[in-house]
Amino acid sequence: VTRSLPISLQSCQCLAWKPRPVGVWPRSGESQHVVAGYSDGTVRVFSVSRTEMELKMHPHAAALTAVTYSTDGEMILSGGKDGIVAVSSPRTGMTIHVLADHKGSPITVLQCTRKQYHELGVEGGELWLAASSDRRVSVWGSDWLQDKCELLDWLSFPAPAGPEGLDSLPPSLAAFCPWEHGVLVYVGFGLQKEALFYSLRKKQVLRKISLPAFATSLSLSPAAPFMALGFGDRLLRLQPCPAGAPQDYAGHDDTVHLCRFAPSGRRLLTASHSAVLVWELPGA
């Protein structure tokens, strides 16, 4: 550990790095920032280089479960245990949008991606999605400068009623596909153990990949067409897409609840209850 940020009496539930603008190299002495969501409903922005909190906002009445920056770093999207999604400005500290479409179910994922203007029939330079634990995913097109936020698609995935033998349901996870524009990938508790590739243009599932169990974590490589999936039986799977033989690894001591590819795609970070592993992917 090279730096530690200020301690809070509240529990930190989620965090995200602030992205750098495309094509802009960091200047000497430039501060990196992280945003963190807390159990008291606050969103806090920290300077890593100065190891201090720079901003504290309170857009939620419930504990935070997901947080991310917009692709340009100019907005912070946060989701709560009550299903409320807030869009706030780290420049002014004000919340500019509060969305209640997922109200009643905890937000499990928030993700933003760049898009071309008018792509998919909506204005603005960004697409973003929110997934909630009730197997619903909403997809939005936004133009933050014009204060526009338009619902593009709404997905609901079926599941068996009254599952037996499961202490808690696997999370509902979704991500935009880096190598196939206009497509998102979804995994979660459902009628089958599978990953679904859904086309936002065609409004339909394009293909399915069978899985050995319900996934507990998901990450898509930004450099090559394959994804990482974690499972409850300590298994990590690297799955080529759209087809190919998967590679399975057993190195964890518990459920693999986190998978994250590095921006280069050459490293993968995974985490379980008491272990964090970094995997080298030289062929990526």
Side-chain angles (χ1 to χ4, degrees), residues 71-72 113-128 140-150 152:
T71 54
D72 60 6
T113 187
R114 296 181 186 276
K115 74 174 186 68
Q116 295 181 353
Y117 199 72
H118 287 308
E119 183 183 7
L120 302 174
V122 293
E123 295 184 359
E126 187 154 286
L127 288 177
W128 62 274
W140 306 75
S142 293
D143 186 334
W144 305 121
L145 293 178
Q146 299 297 324
D147 195 27
K148 292 182 179 180
C149 192
E150 180 182 350
L152 175 64

Side-chain angles (χ1 to χ4, degrees), residues 79-139:
K81 191 175 182 180
D82 57 1
I84 300 298
V85 175
V87 182
S88 307
S89 169
R91 290 184 180 273
T92 65
M94 297 183 63
T95 298
I96 61 173
H97 289 291
V98 176
L99 307 171
D101 300 73
H102 290 268
K103 186 176 181 180
S105 186
I107 301 299
T108 52
V109 176
L110 290 169
Q111 187 193 11
C112 299
T113 187
R114 296 181 186 276
K115 74 174 186 68
Q116 295 181 353
Y117 199 72
H118 287 308
E119 183 183 7
L120 302 174
V122 293
E123 295 184 359
E126 187 154 286
L127 288 177
W128 62 274
L129 64 78
S132 51
S133 60
D134 57 359
R135 303 172 304 280
R136 295 184 296 170
V137 179
S138 60
V139 183

Side-chain angles (χ1 to χ4, degrees), residues 178-233:
W179 60 84
E180 194 170 357
H181 295 302
V183 172
L184 64 84
V185 179
Y186 172 85
V187 296
F189 180 68
L191 301 176
Q192 303 292 333
K193 301 177 180 69
E194 57 192 6
L196 304 176
F197 286 71
Y198 178 86
S199 170
L200 295 169
R201 293 187 179 90
K202 297 182 179 180
K203 307 292 185 182
Q204 66 183 38
V205 174
L206 298 177
R207 56 188 174 273
K208 305 175 182 180
I209 295 179
S210 296
L211 303 176
F214 292 116
T216 54
S217 54
L218 169 72
S219 185
L220 276 62
S221 170
F226 65 91
M227 58 184 176
L229 299 129
F231 299 93
D233 56 358

Side-chain angles (χ1 to χ4, degrees), residues 47-96:
S47 165
V48 176
S49 60
R50 293 196 294 271
T51 64
E52 64 182 21
M53 184 173 68
E54 293 187 347
L55 178 65
K56 179 179 177 181
M57 302 177 287
H58 202 157
H60 294 272
L64 271 289
T65 53
V67 68
T68 192
Y69 275 96
S70 60
T71 54
D72 60 6
E74 293 299 315
M75 293 293 167
I76 293 172
L77 287 73
S78 53
K81 191 175 182 180
D82 57 1
I84 300 298
V85 175
V87 182
S88 307
S89 169
R91 290 184 180 273
T92 65
M94 297 183 63
T95 298
I96 61 173

